[in-house]
Amino acid sequence: MGIDLPLIWAVIILFGVMMYVVMDGFDLGIGLLFPFFPEKADRDVMMNTVAPVWDGNETWLVLGGAGLLAAFPLAYSVVLSALYLPLVLMLIGLVFRGVAFEFRFKARPGRLRLWDKAFAGGSLAATFFQGVTLGAFLNGLPVMNDLYVGTSTAWLASFPLFTGLGLAVAYALLGATWLVMKTEGPLQRRLRALARRLTWALLAVIAVISIWTPMQHPAIAERWFSLPNLFWFAPVPLLVVATTWRLLAALRGNGHAAPFLLTLALVFLGYSGLGISLWPYVIPPSITIWQAAGPPQSLGFTLVGALLIVPLILVYTGWSYWVFRGKVRHGEGYH
């Protein structure tokens, strides 16, 4: 029995995308929270919690994009043809955010607000257009003769725009619970209160998407509600409710790391639900990972590099978080 290279590469890419959502989600979420914390001292603490690690968090985005090009060139060409506008706007947002991150620490007092707005605006643009891209992908990309045959503005529909807003809520909650873990005192108490409201908002987003998706896509509805699939999928919404209940309890109590870990679990459950809905299509609703895969020689050659580089990324990421563990307090700084 031969090695299923497309399946291995699909797992690697899914892992890379999930790691990006986890690692860069709370990073972007901090920018989304800036309007709720106008004081410079609070914003300094918020940014200093991620200053040592934010660059490395985006490594996973590069890995996911490069892996898609190497392993599934058909999917890469179709996705970029269909979604180049939201992807370009997402990248512009990341550029603004990255530049503002560095310049803010060196800005004169009169220019500080400008860079704060650039950081918050870049974070919002990057997050929103990531969500729009996801929603448009879930809606399906029409393909004929291996070419995208839809319009360049098909992503301007109600479902993708809603998923853009929904992802902003998810990232804001990740950012808030990360800061609960990394801060203390009055700032932490305000973040706990904000995180509780964001938890209810995210639960509402998950409920709306869970109802909207099968209503809009009969194939997904059939997969969800047919037997025996229903017995396999039923634990996901039950786990979402249980995790949300534990998250709200942790935010009302004195837990520091628990709210962030439970939010990660909630995001992972949502991600797994999307995976269940789409598998094994890499270009929904018609092209599977095996149909879109590159030549076996290319898959095997690039897999060797991936198996070397992914453990290295995990090691240096884990080491950087370990070195900069602990609370960040007012008056302390990384820069």
Side-chain angles (χ1 to χ4, degrees):
M1 185 175 180
I3 299 175
D4 194 338
L5 291 174
L7 178 60
I8 294 173
W9 262 110
V11 171
I12 291 173
I13 293 171
L14 288 171
F15 175 74
V17 172
M18 181 62 200
M19 288 298 293
Y20 173 76
V21 170
V22 168
M23 308 299 288
D24 208 40
F26 67 82
D27 191 344
L28 288 164
I30 289 174
L32 298 176
L33 296 175
F34 255 39
F36 299 96
F37 299 90
E39 296 298 323
K40 177 183 181 300
D42 290 337
R43 290 181 173 184
D44 287 345
V45 171
M46 293 164 68
M47 294 191 78
N48 282 327
T49 65
V50 292
V53 296
W54 76 275
D55 269 334
N57 292 343
E58 295 178 359
T59 305
W60 298 104
L61 181 63
V62 177
L63 175 67
L68 189 66
L69 172 62
F72 305 106
L74 174 59
Y76 185 87
S77 66
V78 170
V79 169
L80 260 67
S81 297
L83 303 172
Y84 67 90
L85 280 175
L87 288 172
V88 167
L89 292 171
M90 177 197 76
L91 293 174
I92 291 173
L94 289 174
V95 169
F96 264 86
R97 175 178 162 275
V99 171
F101 198 107
E102 297 297 336
F103 277 42
R104 181 185 181 277
F105 288 99
K106 303 172 179 64
R108 296 190 300 273
R111 295 296 183 92
L112 185 62
R113 291 291 180 182
L114 172 65
W115 293 116
D116 280 349
K117 291 177 181 178
F119 180 68
S123 299
L124 177 60
T127 301
F128 177 73
F129 287 109
Q130 281 179 28
V132 167
T133 300
L134 172 63
F137 183 77
L138 288 172
N139 264 351
L141 306 176
V143 177
M144 184 179 296
N145 297 325
D146 293 343
L147 296 174
Y148 174 67
V149 294
T151 65
S152 61
T153 57
W155 55 274
L156 284 171
S158 54
F159 184 75
L161 296 177
F162 180 80
T163 56
L165 295 175
L167 191 64
V169 173
Y171 281 3
L173 180 58
L174 277 171
T177 52
W178 165 264
L179 291 170
V180 167
M181 182 173 65
K182 298 290 288 184
T183 63
E184 58 187 8
L187 176 59
Q188 187 194 62
R189 290 193 291 272
R190 291 163 60 197
L191 285 161
R192 286 183 186 276
L194 179 59
R196 288 195 294 270
R197 295 195 293 271
L198 288 169
T199 300
W200 286 111
L202 181 58
L203 186 62
V205 167
I206 293 173
V208 170
I209 291 178
S210 299
I211 295 170
W212 198 339
T213 301
M215 288 180 61
Q216 186 162 316
H217 303 284
I220 293 178
E222 183 178 355
R223 175 176 292 194
W224 283 11
F225 302 116
S226 61
L227 296 176
N229 291 348
L230 183 61
F231 297 115
W232 292 102
F233 299 164
V236 175
L238 296 177
L239 287 171
V240 167
V241 172
T243 303
T244 303
W245 178 78
R246 287 294 305 138
L247 174 58
L248 289 169
L251 288 169
R252 286 192 296 269
N254 296 318
H256 293 263
F260 181 64
L261 296 175
L262 288 165
T263 303
L264 291 181
L266 201 57
V267 171
F268 175 77
L269 288 170
Y271 189 72
S272 65
L274 293 176
I276 288 170
S277 303
L278 295 175
W279 184 261
Y281 297 104
V282 69
I283 307 175
S286 57
I287 298 179
T288 67
I289 59 172
W290 296 279
Q291 292 171 324
Q297 297 86 346
S298 298
L299 295 178
F301 178 77
T302 51
L303 180 62
V304 174
L307 293 178
L308 290 173
I309 197 66
V310 171
L312 288 176
I313 297 173
L314 288 171
V315 168
Y316 81 66
T317 299
W319 177 250
S320 64
Y321 277 88
W322 173 256
V323 169
F324 294 99
R325 66 191 182 278
K327 297 286 186 180
V328 177
R329 297 174 177 85
H330 286 83
E332 299 178 347
Y334 168 71
H335 282 65

